[in-house]
Amino acid sequence: MKKFLLISLTSLIALSIAAEKYPEKYDNVDVDRILQNNRVLTNYIRCLMDEGPCTAEGRELRKTLPDALSNGCSKCNDKQKATAEKVINHLKMKRSRDWDRLISKYDPNGEYRKRFEQS
């Protein structure tokens, strides 16, 4: 009986830890291809800004982004963190006006801006 309880408790802990991560179903999206296609990237930005329709990936990103910002992407896996950094750097360097708009919307009080400036 004690072994059963121990196994059950361990399983519950493992499930709760796994539940604290973001879904991996979009981890294999070709972000480089999106970043190189201005039309597609513009559509994603419009989605995030609530200015246009969203793909399934865009909706998931729009839903997840505020939480990821507030917790420093602590629920992100390594691939998601690397992808986020790549996108942030691209926007800051090549689409700074869009970057500023996104920052204004998702970080209006400047709480998370320091993290981005370090990237």
Side-chain angles (χ1 to χ4, degrees), residues 26-69:
Y26 297 116
D27 283 7
N28 294 319
V29 170
D30 189 349
V31 173
D32 291 318
R33 191 170 180 191
I34 293 169
L35 295 176
Q36 299 308 315
N37 186 324
N38 281 326
R39 182 185 58 79
V40 174
L41 181 56
T42 297
N43 287 339
Y44 273 99
I45 291 168
R46 285 183 183 148
C47 165
L48 291 172
M49 295 299 297
D50 296 315
E51 297 171 348
C54 295
T55 62
E57 297 94 347
R59 281 189 299 277
E60 184 72 28
L61 179 60
R62 189 174 60 189
K63 182 179 84 175
T64 305
L65 189 56
D67 184 60
L69 288 172

Side-chain angles (χ1 to χ4, degrees), residues 13-118:
I13 291 170
L15 286 173
S16 69
I17 290 171
E20 293 178 10
K21 295 291 185 184
Y22 296 126
E24 296 178 357
K25 68 181 179 179
Y26 297 116
D27 283 7
N28 294 319
V29 170
D30 189 349
V31 173
D32 291 318
R33 191 170 180 191
I34 293 169
L35 295 176
Q36 299 308 315
N37 186 324
N38 281 326
R39 182 185 58 79
V40 174
L41 181 56
T42 297
N43 287 339
Y44 273 99
I45 291 168
R46 285 183 183 148
C47 165
L48 291 172
M49 295 299 297
D50 296 315
E51 297 171 348
C54 295
T55 62
E57 297 94 347
R59 281 189 299 277
E60 184 72 28
L61 179 60
R62 189 174 60 189
K63 182 179 84 175
T64 305
L65 189 56
D67 184 60
L69 288 172
S70 70
N71 68 41
C73 213
S74 66
K75 297 178 185 178
C76 298
N77 63 34
D78 289 341
K79 185 166 187 164
Q80 292 164 343
K81 288 177 184 177
T83 299
E85 186 174 328
K86 180 183 285 191
V87 171
I88 289 168
N89 288 333
H90 180 87
L91 292 174
K92 284 171 43 178
M93 300 299 290
K94 305 211 180 204
R95 307 266 306 242
S96 60
R97 191 171 297 171
D98 290 321
W99 172 249
D100 291 340
R101 291 176 63 226
L102 288 164
I103 285 293
S104 293
K105 177 177 174 90
Y106 289 95
D107 189 20
N109 299 323
E111 296 174 57
Y112 318 118
R113 199 163 286 161
K114 289 179 184 172
R115 289 185 206 142
F116 304 131
E117 291 169 357
Q118 294 171 356

